Amino acid sequence: SFDCRAYYDLIRHGTRVTTSQVTPQRFMEYFEPVLQQGKDLIFVSMSSGISGSSLEALEAPMPPSTR
């Protein structure tokens, strides 16, 4: 489980917290095999206003027939 208190204590003591955005290529690596099996896939993302992942998923180089 996530220890919220410990997390914020680390930040208070100077630990630098970062996030990383998934690249279109990474989305393709995960999505394409599922779609090639003929399975449906639903990607639920945070709002595009606060996360770039939505745009990155849309930019993934997938064949149009799988979008």
Coordinates of all heavy atoms in Angstrom, one line a residue:
S1 N 0.8 -1.2 0.0 CA 0.0 0.0 0.0 C 0.9 1.2 0.0 O 2.0 1.2 0.4 CB -1.0 0.0 1.2 OG -0.3 0.3 2.4
F2 N 0.3 2.3 -0.4 CA 1.0 3.6 -0.5 C 1.1 4.3 0.8 O 0.0 4.5 1.4 CB 0.3 4.5 -1.6 CG 1.0 5.8 -1.8 CD1 2.2 5.9 -2.5 CD2 0.4 7.0 -1.3 CE1 2.8 7.1 -2.7 CE2 1.0 8.2 -1.5 CZ 2.3 8.2 -2.2
D3 N 2.3 4.6 1.3 CA 2.4 5.3 2.5 C 2.5 6.9 2.2 O 3.6 7.4 2.0 CB 3.7 4.9 3.2 CG 3.9 5.4 4.6 OD1 3.2 6.5 5.0 OD2 4.6 4.8 5.4
C4 N 1.4 7.5 2.3 CA 1.2 8.9 2.0 C 2.1 9.8 2.9 O 2.8 10.7 2.4 CB -0.2 9.3 2.1 SG -0.6 10.9 1.4
R5 N 2.1 9.5 4.1 CA 2.9 10.3 5.1 C 4.4 10.2 4.8 O 5.1 11.2 4.7 CB 2.6 9.8 6.5 CG 3.3 10.7 7.6 CD 3.0 10.2 9.0 NE 1.6 10.2 9.2 CZ 1.0 11.2 9.9 NH1 1.7 12.1 10.5 NH2 -0.3 11.2 10.1
A6 N 4.9 9.0 4.5 CA 6.3 8.8 4.2 C 6.6 9.5 2.9 O 7.7 10.2 2.8 CB 6.6 7.3 4.1
Y7 N 5.7 9.5 1.9 CA 6.0 10.1 0.6 C 6.2 11.6 0.8 O 7.1 12.2 0.3 CB 4.8 9.8 -0.3 CG 4.8 10.5 -1.6 CD1 5.6 10.1 -2.6 CD2 3.9 11.6 -1.8 CE1 5.6 10.8 -3.8 CE2 4.0 12.3 -3.0 CZ 4.8 11.9 -4.0 OH 4.8 12.5 -5.2
Y8 N 5.2 12.2 1.5 CA 5.3 13.7 1.7 C 6.5 14.1 2.6 O 7.0 15.2 2.5 CB 4.0 14.3 2.2 CG 3.0 14.3 1.0 CD1 1.9 13.4 0.9 CD2 3.2 15.2 0.0 CE1 1.1 13.5 -0.1 CE2 2.3 15.3 -1.1 CZ 1.3 14.4 -1.1 OH 0.4 14.4 -2.2
D9 N 6.8 13.2 3.6 CA 8.0 13.5 4.4 C 9.3 13.5 3.5 O 10.1 14.4 3.7 CB 8.2 12.4 5.5 CG 7.2 12.6 6.7 OD1 6.6 13.7 6.8 OD2 7.0 11.7 7.4
L10 N 9.4 12.6 2.6 CA 10.5 12.6 1.7 C 10.6 13.9 0.9 O 11.7 14.5 0.7 CB 10.4 11.5 0.7 CG 10.7 10.1 1.3 CD1 10.4 9.0 0.3 CD2 12.2 10.0 1.7
I11 N 9.5 14.4 0.4 CA 9.4 15.7 -0.3 C 9.8 16.8 0.6 O 10.6 17.7 0.2 CB 8.0 15.9 -0.9 CG1 7.8 14.8 -2.0 CG2 7.9 17.3 -1.5 CD1 6.3 14.8 -2.6
R12 N 9.3 16.8 1.8 CA 9.6 17.9 2.7 C 11.1 18.0 3.0 O 11.7 19.0 3.3 CB 8.9 17.7 4.1 CG 7.4 18.1 4.0 CD 6.7 18.0 5.3 NE 5.3 17.9 5.1 CZ 4.7 16.7 5.2 NH1 5.3 15.6 5.4 NH2 3.4 16.7 4.9
H13 N 11.8 16.8 2.9 CA 13.2 16.7 3.2 C 14.1 16.8 2.0 O 15.2 16.5 2.0 CB 13.5 15.5 4.0 CG 12.9 15.5 5.4 ND1 11.8 14.9 5.8 CD2 13.4 16.1 6.5 CE1 11.5 15.2 7.0 NE2 12.5 15.9 7.5
G14 N 13.5 17.3 0.9 CA 14.3 17.6 -0.3 C 14.3 16.5 -1.4 O 15.0 16.8 -2.4
T15 N 13.6 15.4 -1.2 CA 13.7 14.4 -2.3 C 12.9 15.0 -3.5 O 11.8 15.5 -3.4 CB 13.0 13.1 -1.9 OG1 13.7 12.6 -0.8 CG2 12.9 12.1 -3.0
R16 N 13.6 14.9 -4.7 CA 13.0 15.4 -5.9 C 12.0 14.3 -6.5 O 12.5 13.2 -6.7 CB 14.1 15.7 -6.9 CG 13.5 16.4 -8.2 CD 14.7 16.9 -9.0 NE 14.1 17.5 -10.2 CZ 14.3 16.9 -11.4 NH1 15.1 15.9 -11.5 NH2 13.8 17.5 -12.5
V17 N 10.8 14.7 -6.7 CA 9.8 13.8 -7.3 C 9.6 14.1 -8.7 O 9.4 15.3 -9.1 CB 8.5 13.9 -6.5 CG1 7.4 12.9 -7.1 CG2 8.7 13.5 -5.0
T18 N 9.6 13.1 -9.6 CA 9.4 13.3 -11.0 C 8.4 12.3 -11.5 O 8.1 11.3 -10.9 CB 10.7 13.2 -11.8 OG1 11.2 11.9 -11.7 CG2 11.7 14.2 -11.3
T19 N 7.8 12.6 -12.7 CA 7.0 11.6 -13.4 C 7.6 11.5 -14.8 O 8.4 12.3 -15.2 CB 5.5 12.1 -13.5 OG1 5.5 13.3 -14.2 CG2 5.0 12.3 -12.1
S20 N 7.1 10.5 -15.5 CA 7.6 10.4 -16.9 C 6.3 10.1 -17.8 O 5.4 9.5 -17.3 CB 8.6 9.3 -17.1 OG 8.1 8.1 -16.7
Q21 N 6.4 10.6 -19.0 CA 5.3 10.4 -19.9 C 5.6 9.3 -20.8 O 6.7 9.1 -21.3 CB 5.1 11.7 -20.7 CG 4.0 11.7 -21.6 CD 3.7 13.1 -22.2 OE1 3.6 14.1 -21.4 NE2 3.7 13.3 -23.5
V22 N 4.6 8.4 -21.0 CA 4.8 7.3 -21.9 C 4.9 7.8 -23.3 O 4.1 8.6 -23.7 CB 3.6 6.3 -21.7 CG1 3.7 5.1 -22.6 CG2 3.5 5.9 -20.3
T23 N 5.8 7.2 -24.1 CA 5.9 7.6 -25.5 C 4.9 6.9 -26.4 O 4.4 5.8 -26.0 CB 7.4 7.3 -26.0 OG1 7.5 5.8 -26.0 CG2 8.4 7.9 -25.1
P24 N 4.7 7.4 -27.6 CA 3.8 6.8 -28.5 C 4.3 5.3 -28.9 O 3.5 4.4 -29.0 CB 3.8 7.6 -29.8 CG 4.1 9.0 -29.3 CD 5.1 8.8 -28.1
Q25 N 5.6 5.2 -29.0 CA 6.2 3.9 -29.3 C 5.8 2.9 -28.1 O 5.5 1.7 -28.4 CB 7.7 4.0 -29.4 CG 8.4 2.7 -29.7 CD 8.0 2.1 -31.0 OE1 7.7 2.8 -32.0 NE2 8.1 0.8 -31.2
R26 N 5.9 3.3 -26.9 CA 5.6 2.4 -25.8 C 4.1 2.0 -25.8 O 3.8 0.8 -25.5 CB 6.0 3.1 -24.5 CG 5.7 2.3 -23.2 CD 6.6 1.0 -23.2 NE 8.0 1.4 -23.3 CZ 8.9 0.9 -22.6 NH1 8.7 -0.1 -21.8 NH2 10.2 1.3 -22.7
F27 N 3.3 2.9 -26.1 CA 1.8 2.6 -26.2 C 1.7 1.5 -27.3 O 1.0 0.5 -27.1 CB 1.0 3.8 -26.6 CG 0.6 4.6 -25.4 CD1 1.1 5.9 -25.2 CD2 -0.3 4.1 -24.5 CE1 0.8 6.6 -24.1 CE2 -0.7 4.9 -23.4 CZ -0.1 6.1 -23.2
M28 N 2.3 1.7 -28.4 CA 2.2 0.8 -29.5 C 2.7 -0.6 -29.1 O 2.1 -1.6 -29.4 CB 3.0 1.2 -30.7 CG 2.8 0.4 -32.0 SD 3.9 0.8 -33.3 CE 5.4 0.1 -32.8
E29 N 3.8 -0.7 -28.4 CA 4.4 -2.0 -27.9 C 3.4 -2.7 -27.1 O 3.3 -4.0 -27.1 CB 5.6 -1.7 -27.1 CG 6.8 -1.3 -28.0 CD 8.0 -0.8 -27.2 OE1 8.0 -1.0 -25.9 OE2 9.0 -0.3 -27.8
Y30 N 2.6 -2.0 -26.3 CA 1.6 -2.7 -25.4 C 0.2 -2.9 -26.1 O -0.4 -4.0 -25.9 CB 1.4 -1.9 -24.2 CG 2.5 -2.0 -23.2 CD1 3.5 -1.1 -23.1 CD2 2.6 -3.1 -22.3 CE1 4.6 -1.2 -22.3 CE2 3.7 -3.3 -21.5 CZ 4.7 -2.3 -21.4 OH 5.7 -2.4 -20.6
F31 N -0.2 -2.0 -26.9 CA -1.5 -2.1 -27.5 C -1.6 -3.0 -28.7 O -2.5 -3.8 -28.9 CB -2.0 -0.7 -28.0 CG -2.3 0.3 -26.9 CD1 -2.7 1.6 -27.3 CD2 -2.3 -0.1 -25.6 CE1 -3.0 2.5 -26.3 CE2 -2.6 0.8 -24.6 CZ -3.0 2.1 -24.9
E32 N -0.5 -2.9 -29.6 CA -0.6 -3.7 -30.9 C -0.8 -5.2 -30.7 O -1.6 -5.8 -31.4 CB 0.6 -3.3 -31.7 CG 0.5 -3.8 -33.1 CD 1.6 -3.3 -34.0 OE1 2.8 -3.2 -33.5 OE2 1.3 -2.9 -35.2
P33 N 0.0 -5.9 -29.8 CA -0.2 -7.3 -29.7 C -1.7 -7.7 -29.3 O -2.2 -8.7 -29.8 CB 0.8 -7.7 -28.6 CG 1.8 -6.7 -28.6 CD 1.1 -5.4 -29.0
V34 N -2.3 -6.9 -28.4 CA -3.6 -7.1 -28.0 C -4.6 -7.0 -29.2 O -5.4 -7.8 -29.4 CB -4.0 -6.2 -26.9 CG1 -5.5 -6.3 -26.5 CG2 -3.2 -6.4 -25.6
L35 N -4.4 -5.9 -30.0 CA -5.3 -5.7 -31.1 C -5.1 -6.7 -32.2 O -6.0 -7.1 -32.9 CB -5.0 -4.3 -31.6 CG -5.4 -3.1 -30.6 CD1 -4.9 -1.8 -31.2 CD2 -6.9 -3.1 -30.3
Q36 N -3.8 -7.2 -32.4 CA -3.6 -8.2 -33.4 C -4.2 -9.5 -33.1 O -4.5 -10.3 -34.0 CB -2.1 -8.4 -33.6 CG -1.4 -7.2 -34.3 CD 0.1 -7.4 -34.5 OE1 0.7 -8.2 -33.8 NE2 0.7 -6.6 -35.3
Q37 N -4.5 -9.7 -31.8 CA -5.2 -10.9 -31.4 C -6.7 -10.8 -31.6 O -7.5 -11.7 -31.3 CB -4.9 -11.2 -29.9 CG -3.5 -11.6 -29.6 CD -3.3 -11.7 -28.1 OE1 -4.2 -12.0 -27.3 NE2 -2.0 -11.6 -27.7
G38 N -7.1 -9.7 -32.1 CA -8.6 -9.4 -32.3 C -9.3 -9.0 -31.1 O -10.6 -9.0 -31.1
K39 N -8.6 -8.7 -30.0 CA -9.2 -8.3 -28.8 C -9.5 -6.8 -28.8 O -8.8 -6.0 -29.5 CB -8.4 -8.6 -27.6 CG -8.1 -10.1 -27.4 CD -7.3 -10.4 -26.2 CE -7.0 -11.8 -26.0 NZ -6.1 -12.1 -24.9
D40 N -10.5 -6.4 -28.1 CA -10.8 -5.0 -27.9 C -9.9 -4.4 -26.8 O -9.5 -5.2 -25.9 CB -12.3 -4.8 -27.5 CG -13.2 -5.1 -28.6 OD1 -12.8 -5.0 -29.8 OD2 -14.4 -5.5 -28.3
L41 N -9.6 -3.2 -26.9 CA -8.8 -2.5 -25.9 C -9.4 -1.1 -25.6 O -9.7 -0.4 -26.5 CB -7.4 -2.4 -26.5 CG -6.3 -1.9 -25.5 CD1 -5.0 -2.7 -25.7 CD2 -6.1 -0.4 -25.7
I42 N -9.5 -0.8 -24.3 CA -9.9 0.5 -23.9 C -8.8 1.1 -23.1 O -8.4 0.5 -22.1 CB -11.2 0.4 -23.1 CG1 -12.4 -0.2 -23.9 CG2 -11.6 1.8 -22.5 CD1 -13.6 -0.4 -23.1
F43 N -8.4 2.3 -23.4 CA -7.4 3.0 -22.7 C -8.1 4.2 -22.0 O -8.7 5.0 -22.6 CB -6.3 3.5 -23.6 CG -5.4 4.5 -23.0 CD1 -4.5 4.1 -22.0 CD2 -5.4 5.8 -23.3 CE1 -3.6 4.9 -21.4 CE2 -4.5 6.7 -22.7 CZ -3.6 6.3 -21.8
V44 N -8.0 4.2 -20.7 CA -8.6 5.3 -19.9 C -7.5 6.1 -19.3 O -6.6 5.6 -18.6 CB -9.5 4.7 -18.7 CG1 -10.1 5.8 -17.9 CG2 -10.5 3.8 -19.3
S45 N -7.5 7.4 -19.7 CA -6.4 8.3 -19.3 C -6.9 9.4 -18.4 O -8.1 9.6 -18.3 CB -5.8 8.9 -20.5 OG -4.8 9.8 -20.2
M46 N -6.0 10.1 -17.8 CA -6.4 11.3 -17.0 C -6.8 12.4 -18.1 O -6.5 12.2 -19.3 CB -5.3 11.8 -16.2 CG -4.9 10.8 -15.1 SD -3.5 11.4 -14.1 CE -4.3 12.6 -13.1
S47 N -7.3 13.4 -17.6 CA -7.6 14.5 -18.5 C -6.4 15.0 -19.3 O -5.3 15.1 -18.8 CB -8.1 15.7 -17.7 OG -8.2 16.9 -18.5
S48 N -6.6 15.3 -20.6 CA -5.5 15.7 -21.4 C -5.0 17.1 -21.0 O -3.9 17.5 -21.3 CB -5.9 15.8 -22.9 OG -7.0 16.7 -23.1
G49 N -5.8 17.8 -20.2 CA -5.4 19.1 -19.6 C -4.3 19.0 -18.5 O -3.6 19.9 -18.3
I50 N -4.2 17.8 -17.9 CA -3.2 17.6 -16.8 C -2.3 16.5 -17.1 O -1.3 16.3 -16.3 CB -3.9 17.4 -15.5 CG1 -4.8 16.1 -15.5 CG2 -4.7 18.6 -15.0 CD1 -5.4 15.7 -14.1
S51 N -2.4 15.8 -18.2 CA -1.5 14.7 -18.5 C -1.4 14.6 -20.0 O -2.3 14.7 -20.8 CB -2.1 13.4 -18.0 OG -1.4 12.3 -18.5
G52 N -0.1 14.4 -20.5 CA 0.2 14.3 -21.9 C -0.1 12.9 -22.4 O 0.0 12.7 -23.6
S53 N -0.4 12.0 -21.5 CA -0.5 10.6 -22.0 C -1.6 10.4 -23.0 O -1.5 9.5 -23.9 CB -0.8 9.6 -20.8 OG 0.4 9.6 -20.0
S54 N -2.7 11.1 -22.9 CA -3.8 11.0 -23.8 C -3.3 11.3 -25.3 O -3.6 10.6 -26.2 CB -5.0 12.0 -23.5 OG -5.5 11.7 -22.2
L55 N -2.6 12.4 -25.4 CA -2.1 12.8 -26.7 C -1.1 11.8 -27.2 O -1.1 11.4 -28.4 CB -1.5 14.2 -26.7 CG -2.4 15.3 -26.9 CD1 -1.6 16.6 -26.8 CD2 -3.1 15.2 -28.2
E56 N -0.2 11.3 -26.3 CA 0.8 10.3 -26.7 C 0.1 9.0 -27.2 O 0.5 8.4 -28.2 CB 1.7 10.0 -25.6 CG 2.6 11.2 -25.2 CD 3.5 11.7 -26.2 OE1 4.0 10.9 -27.1 OE2 3.8 12.9 -26.2
A57 N -1.0 8.6 -26.6 CA -1.7 7.4 -27.0 C -2.3 7.6 -28.4 O -2.2 6.7 -29.2 CB -2.8 7.0 -26.0
L58 N -2.8 8.8 -28.6 CA -3.4 9.1 -30.0 C -2.3 9.1 -31.1 O -2.6 8.9 -32.2 CB -4.2 10.4 -29.9 CG -5.4 10.3 -29.1 CD1 -6.0 11.8 -29.0 CD2 -6.5 9.4 -29.8
E59 N -1.1 9.5 -30.7 CA 0.0 9.6 -31.6 C 0.7 8.3 -31.9 O 1.5 8.2 -32.8 CB 1.0 10.6 -31.1 CG 0.5 12.0 -31.1 CD 0.2 12.6 -32.4 OE1 0.9 12.3 -33.4 OE2 -0.9 13.3 -32.5
A60 N 0.4 7.2 -31.2 CA 1.0 5.9 -31.4 C 0.8 5.5 -32.8 O -0.3 5.5 -33.3 CB 0.4 4.9 -30.4
P61 N 1.8 5.0 -33.5 CA 1.8 4.6 -34.9 C 1.0 3.3 -35.1 O 1.6 2.3 -35.4 CB 3.2 4.5 -35.3 CG 3.9 4.2 -34.0 CD 3.2 4.8 -32.9
M62 N -0.3 3.3 -34.9 CA -1.1 2.1 -35.1 C -1.8 2.2 -36.4 O -2.2 3.3 -36.9 CB -2.2 2.1 -34.0 CG -1.6 2.1 -32.6 SD -0.8 0.6 -32.2 CE -2.0 -0.1 -31.1
P63 N -2.1 1.0 -37.0 CA -2.9 1.0 -38.3 C -4.2 1.7 -38.0 O -4.8 1.4 -37.0 CB -3.0 -0.4 -38.6 CG -1.9 -1.1 -37.8 CD -1.7 -0.3 -36.6
P64 N -4.8 2.4 -39.0 CA -6.1 3.1 -38.8 C -7.2 2.1 -38.5 O -8.1 2.4 -37.7 CB -6.3 3.7 -40.1 CG -5.0 3.9 -40.8 CD -4.2 2.8 -40.2
S65 N -7.1 0.9 -38.9 CA -8.2 -0.1 -38.7 C -8.2 -0.5 -37.2 O -9.2 -1.1 -36.8 CB -8.0 -1.3 -39.6 OG -6.7 -2.0 -39.2
T66 N -7.2 -0.2 -36.4 CA -7.2 -0.6 -35.0 C -7.6 0.5 -34.1 O -7.6 0.3 -32.9 CB -5.8 -1.2 -34.6 OG1 -4.8 -0.2 -34.8 CG2 -5.5 -2.4 -35.4
R67 N -7.8 1.7 -34.6 CA -8.1 2.9 -33.8 C -9.5 2.9 -33.5 O -10.4 2.6 -34.2 CB -7.6 4.1 -34.5 CG -6.1 4.3 -34.5 CD -5.8 5.6 -35.1 NE -4.3 5.7 -35.0 CZ -3.7 6.5 -34.3 NH1 -4.3 7.3 -33.5 NH2 -2.4 6.5 -34.3

